[in-house]
Amino acid sequence: MSLPSRIILSGFMGTGKTTVGKLLARKLDYDFVDTDDLVVSLSQKPIARIFAEEGEEMFRRWESMAIDQALAREATVIAVGGGAVCFRDNLDKIRKNGQLVLLKAQIPTLLKRLSADDSRPLLQGEDKEGQIREILAKRASAYSRISLQIPTDNQSPEAVVEEILRVLPLESRALRVELGERSYPLYFQKNGIESLNLLLQRHCPAERVVLVTNSVVQRLHGAKIARHLKRQHDLKTIVLPDGESFKTLKTVASVYAKLVEFKVDRKTPLIALGGGVIGDLVGFAAASFLRGIPFVQIPTTLLAQVDSSIGGKTGVDLPQGKNLVGAFYQPRFVLIDEAFLKTLKRREFVCGLAEVIKYAAIFDAKLFRGLEEHMEAILKGKGAGLEPVIRRCCELKAWVVERDEKETLGLRAKLNFGHTLGHAIESLTRYKKYTHGEAIAMGMVYAARRSVERAGLPEADVERLKALIARAGLPTEMPAFPKAAYRKALMQDKKRVSSRLHFVYLNKIGKSVVIPTPLDEILV
Ligand SMILES: NC(=O)c1ccc[n+]([C@@H]2O[C@H](COP(=O)([O-])OP(=O)(O)OC[C@H]3O[C@@H](n4cnc5c(N)ncnc54)[C@H](O)[C@@H]3O)[C@@H](O)[C@H]2O)c1
């Protein structure tokens, strides 16, 4: 079990930071330090006196220094006051240097634990309940940004320690998509299915869960997941036919019918197990059924792991075009397990690699160099050891989604690099000849060529991109349809604004720009 070297426990007074912290430290053979004790030793004054003589602001300065001291230690459990984590700079340095755990308790529990305690400078006077409510209300928004929260009501300190140790290995490696109250974690774990019950319990507790997958994934992975889920849940399963051609309103209607039959209520989570098709469709069903029920993504293709499972775009196709109906609806969590990739057909794996190359080309020159160095090993491993690459793509996607969730600011639009022509190719070949990844691979090479003139991309970078795409086993040259046919296909682009398209260009490998461009300047 790999644990962070510094585990920082925070929480309101009375949540048990010190007791739990000492127990946890003993169990892990870590040191324990309480930043309140460091404040006393730094200031040479008891905390009550600092408050009385210097005021709370000065106390916060001492506390910040104490946090710096504590974070300089290794293998240490650090108890930090519940007010400290409400300050951005404290929170930033804590997150950078360790794993933060917030202990929680309901107000009656806090009152019971604090009623006889008169040593708290922030809780003086008769109306303790009123004061607790007031302070909690002030801290609510800061606390809501802490992902790992452990309830302590009716729990012994030993049980709280056990719970921390159960979730810490997963949480300490999780990434978080920060979207206020719609924030959610991305968990990375090989054979992570074994943690699914625990994660469901933490993020969407319910007796009944509905697993939605397709016939291919069900055959390969369904039984194992069902066995695990059944240990703690009343499991219902929906198996849909495989393929993009079933990403339709008709299939969504069939899902609704099953959900009614299963007596699904507003708390029942839908678990989307599959590639982008299942993720998009189940997400849309979850967004719309009962006006929104919880949903969880377990992406099983590379494309879904690096792209479609993150960011909340859900939807289905219409006969008139792809993804024309949908909603922005974020999952409760995403569980990413590279082990699924083992059973993926090579062509589907490579399709996902096209998206990985896309992230590198538009945002991350270092990732691009890494892919150049290791492409053959990546192809050979088919997922094995790919987690750092997947993780980096997820970081980039999360970063984009946090800043431009609904694609209104032009940043999320950069993820469409290669997609304008890619979509045109898919539509001209009726979605049969090429996978999505193959189509965007050709689209990326085309966009890179256009970038030389429009965005100053060096010719050498076009060649690097083309070479990497070819080494991944993806095509680089667009099929030879007449220009008029491409023009017609581009006119159907969802992102068209009058006769201009928001076209994504590269300035250099790792840097991109969106320029509204007339159709005739795209198709030269
Ligand atoms: N929501 C978004 O932000 C977003 C982004 C990109 C793409 N998409 C959508 O994603 C879809 C494409 O996703 P995709 O490429 O994952 O396609 P997909 O879901 O059709 O999966 C590809 C194939 O792989 C099979 N498969 C899935 N997991 C497997 C596994 N572990 N082992 C063996 N076979 C497995 C599937 O059954 C399918 O046949 C498109 O509908 C696209 O519109 C959505």
Side-chain angles (χ1 to χ4, degrees):
M1 177 166 65
S2 102
L3 285 176
S5 181
R6 292 164 216 93
I7 300 168
I8 299 94
L9 295 188
S10 189
F12 200 77
M13 309 163 243
T15 47
K17 299 179 287 283
T18 312
T19 316
V20 169
K22 283 182 180 163
L23 271 175
L24 180 63
R26 200 174 315 141
K27 189 127 194 170
L28 295 174
D29 202 15
Y30 275 30
D31 290 334
F32 172 78
V33 64
D34 189 324
T35 53
D36 278 356
D37 294 341
L38 293 180
V39 167
V40 173
S41 102
L42 278 166
S43 66
Q44 297 286 305
K45 280 185 192 178
I47 287 176
R49 240 177 78 205
I50 304 178
F51 268 83
E53 293 175 10
E54 304 176 24
E56 181 173 347
E57 202 185 318
M58 197 57 209
F59 168 74
R60 296 295 171 201
R61 285 198 211 161
W62 286 119
E63 188 178 48
S64 172
M65 279 187 259
I67 292 172
D68 289 338
Q69 263 197 8
L71 290 175
R73 303 175 178 219
E74 297 289 334
T76 305
V77 176
I78 305 167
V80 171
V85 292
C86 299
F87 294 90
R88 191 85 227 185
D89 49 347
N90 284 342
L91 200 56
D92 287 347
K93 61 192 178 196
I94 286 173
R95 281 193 172 142
K96 205 164 140 217
N97 291 290
Q99 174 64 49
L100 178 60
V101 180
L102 185 81
L103 301 184
K104 288 196 309 188
Q106 305 286 336
I107 290 175
T109 311
L110 293 173
L111 263 176
K112 210 158 85 193
R113 293 181 187 163
L114 294 167
S115 59
D117 184 352
D118 282 325
S119 68
R120 315 273 180 172
L122 290 176
L123 273 194
Q124 297 297 320
E126 289 303 298
D127 182 19
K128 280 207 166 73
E129 180 172 348
Q131 288 171 324
I132 291 175
R133 278 188 196 288
E134 198 180 315
I135 305 172
L136 277 176
K138 273 195 207 143
R139 295 181 183 174
S141 124
Y143 284 2
S144 74
R145 286 196 291 269
I146 299 172
S147 53
L148 179 43
Q149 308 204 2
I150 305 279
T152 63
D153 309 83
N154 307 317
Q155 300 280 359
S156 67
E158 288 78 10
V160 175
V161 168
E162 286 310 314
E163 179 69 5
I164 293 174
L165 287 174
R166 261 167 16 112
V167 297
L168 212 54
L170 269 173
E171 292 287 348
S172 61
R173 300 173 61 240
L175 273 178
R176 203 167 147 82
V177 185
E178 289 288 352
L179 289 169
E181 59 188 21
R182 285 167 293 106
S183 301
Y184 54 96
L186 315 177
Y187 293 106
F188 296 85
Q189 192 169 30
K190 193 144 189 231
N191 301 317
I193 288 311
E194 291 306 321
S195 308
L196 188 54
N197 282 331
L198 174 67
L199 295 176
L200 286 165
Q201 192 191 328
R202 283 177 55 67
H203 295 286
C204 30
E207 235 170 70
R208 175 163 299 178
V209 297
V210 181
L211 180 71
V212 192
T213 188
N214 71 28
S215 49
V216 172
V217 180
Q218 168 70 6
R219 183 169 47 75
L220 292 164
H221 303 285
K224 186 172 168 205
I225 293 172
R227 254 199 319 277
H228 174 79
L229 285 169
K230 275 182 187 161
R231 275 188 224 140
Q232 284 184 27
H233 292 92
D234 168 17
L235 172 69
K236 303 284 178 196
T237 304
I238 301 175
V239 181
L240 301 173
D242 178 37
E244 180 79 33
S245 58
F246 294 97
K247 197 174 122 180
T248 59
L249 285 170
K250 193 168 163 217
T251 312
V252 174
S254 76
V255 173
Y256 293 150
K258 284 282 183 195
L259 298 182
V260 173
E261 184 190 320
F262 297 155
K263 300 196 171 41
V264 158
D265 65 27
R266 283 223 163 107
K267 287 195 144 180
T268 313
L270 296 193
I271 304 170
L273 174 74
V277 167
I278 285 290
D280 281 12
L281 187 142
V282 176
F284 182 59
S288 45
F289 190 73
L290 301 181
R291 298 202 179 86
I293 58 175
F295 104 103
V296 166
Q297 291 264 24
I298 306 183
T300 61
T301 63
L302 182 56
L303 179 136
Q305 294 192 347
V306 296
D307 191 357
S308 63
S309 65
I310 309 150
K313 276 192 185 176
T314 71
V316 294
D317 305 333
L318 291 183
Q320 293 86 343
K322 272 191 69 172
N323 298 324
L324 285 183
V325 175
F328 283 97
Y329 193 64
Q330 304 292 347
R332 292 295 173 91
F333 65 88
V334 183
L335 177 57
I336 295 171
D337 181 349
E338 67 172 39
F340 282 117
L341 305 181
K342 274 263 160 300
T343 56
L344 213 52
K345 286 193 180 129
R346 186 182 167 97
R347 196 170 176 205
E348 293 299 346
F349 179 73
V350 168
C351 172
L353 274 184
E355 299 285 356
V356 173
I357 294 172
K358 174 196 79 179
Y359 281 111
I362 56 176
F363 288 135
D364 191 338
K366 192 169 157 218
L367 177 61
F368 196 92
R369 282 194 297 277
L371 295 174
E372 285 181 317
E373 231 168 273
H374 301 296
M375 183 50 79
E376 279 67 34
I378 290 172
L379 287 167
K380 204 162 161 228
K382 213 169 100 188
L386 199 60
E387 193 188 292
V389 171
I390 297 173
R391 201 184 159 86
R392 180 64 190 138
C393 295
C394 291
E395 264 170 20
L396 291 166
K397 177 93 189 237
W399 180 83
V400 168
V401 169
E402 283 165 4
R403 280 155 189 81
D404 186 15
E405 184 186 4
K406 302 216 164 142
E407 203 170 319
T408 48
L409 305 176
L411 179 62
R412 193 163 180 170
K414 286 187 177 181
L415 298 174
N416 291 325
F417 176 59
H419 282 57
T420 307
L421 264 301
H423 286 152
I425 296 168
E426 284 183 289
S427 143
L428 286 169
T429 52
R430 300 187 192 288
Y431 298 91
K432 288 200 167 71
K433 186 160 181 205
Y434 299 106
T435 64
H436 176 66
E438 288 163 352
I440 68 153
M442 295 181 272
M444 284 194 282
V445 175
Y446 187 87
R449 287 193 180 120
R450 298 300 308 129
S451 301
V452 174
E453 189 187 307
R454 289 298 298 244
L457 181 71
E459 289 277 3
D461 281 357
V462 180
E463 292 311 311
R464 274 178 75 193
L465 179 66
K466 191 176 152 196
L468 186 61
I469 287 174
R471 277 170 63 202
L474 288 157
T476 55
E477 302 305 324
M478 299 203 308
F481 287 102
K483 201 162 139 186
Y486 273 113
R487 194 172 204 291
K488 198 167 159 213
L490 288 181
M491 285 296 282
Q492 286 158 7
D493 194 290
K494 263 193 306 197
K495 279 133 193 154
R496 183 170 61 82
V497 180
S498 67
S499 66
R500 284 168 187 265
L501 281 173
H502 288 270
F503 200 76
V504 188
Y505 297 91
L506 296 184
N507 309 103
K508 58 180 181 180
I509 296 291
K511 191 164 186 292
S512 48
V513 60
V514 180
I515 305 176
T517 311
L519 274 183
D520 293 332
E521 288 179 30
I522 294 173
L523 289 173
V524 287

